[in-house]
Amino acid sequence: MVERSFWINRIERAWRRASIVWLTGVRRVGKTTLAKHWGDAVFLNCDLPRNRLLLEDAEHFFQQIAEGSLVVLDEIHQTENPSEVLKIAADEFPKVRVLATGSSTLAATRKFQDSLAGRKRVVHLTPVLVDELPLFGVSRLEDRLRLGGLPE
């Protein structure tokens, strides 16, 4: 796995300002792969029905998580009410850090009924940065442009 230190540092800085970080970006940009950097996190793939069911009672779910822990809610827009899940986490369990990932598509964005203003920080993941080219085996900017700049 490629260590994308620029983005890791950016997310860590965001957690210093809020317990919820919303990691967004275009499809296949590497959100899930980046989220797996924190190997000790409780990782829920919200594409899976069983995990969506766990989050139907978000309060109960977060009661099971130790203070200071990290929870990754991958593809959180797949849940019935993603803003409620994040609001409960931020308001009732502020010592639990949450990294929520999801698509930046309009359909996904419409599911958020609450802006969560002041409760979250947004990190918009972009395709491979010029400084990251060597990490992905690309040495020239022209090759990045030809290949599209997205991780494999």
Side-chain angles (χ1 to χ4, degrees):
M1 181 166 67
V2 173
E3 174 106 359
R4 298 185 76 186
S5 58
F6 173 85
W7 297 106
I8 292 165
N9 291 334
R10 191 155 181 193
I11 291 166
E12 294 281 350
R13 282 193 318 269
W15 273 321
R16 289 195 282 274
R17 299 181 65 213
S19 62
I20 309 290
V21 173
W22 170 248
L23 180 63
T24 187
V26 298
R27 187 175 177 276
R28 310 263 321 138
V29 77
K31 297 178 297 288
T32 299
T33 302
L34 182 60
K36 288 181 178 180
H37 165 78
W38 291 273
D40 59 341
V42 175
F43 189 96
L44 290 184
N45 176 352
C46 297
D47 280 332
L48 301 176
R50 180 180 216 181
N51 290 337
R52 290 195 302 268
L53 187 61
L54 283 173
L55 292 172
E56 282 183 11
D57 186 350
E59 182 180 9
H60 178 73
F61 171 78
F62 284 107
Q63 284 172 341
Q64 310 308 308
I65 307 297
E67 284 187 4
S69 294
L70 169 61
V71 175
V72 173
L73 301 175
D74 193 36
E75 303 292 344
I76 192 171
H77 62 278
Q78 298 294 356
T79 64
E80 184 67 30
N81 192 345
S83 53
E84 179 182 72
V85 171
L86 296 177
K87 187 174 182 181
I88 288 169
D91 292 351
E92 302 300 321
F93 305 93
K95 294 190 190 266
V96 172
R97 294 178 303 154
V98 175
L99 179 61
T101 76
S103 171
S104 57
T105 64
L106 186 56
T109 305
R110 283 189 182 144
K111 289 193 86 173
F112 283 84
Q113 300 166 4
D114 187 319
S115 70
L116 301 167
R119 294 180 176 98
K120 70 170 175 27
R121 294 296 178 260
V122 177
V123 174
H124 185 82
L125 185 62
T126 61
V128 177
L129 301 171
V130 171
D131 292 347
E132 295 176 313
L133 290 175
L135 298 173
F136 290 93
V138 179
S139 58
R140 299 177 324 131
L141 180 59
E142 292 80 12
D143 293 333
R144 177 196 184 272
L145 297 172
R146 184 177 47 79
L147 296 170
L150 294 172
E152 285 185 44

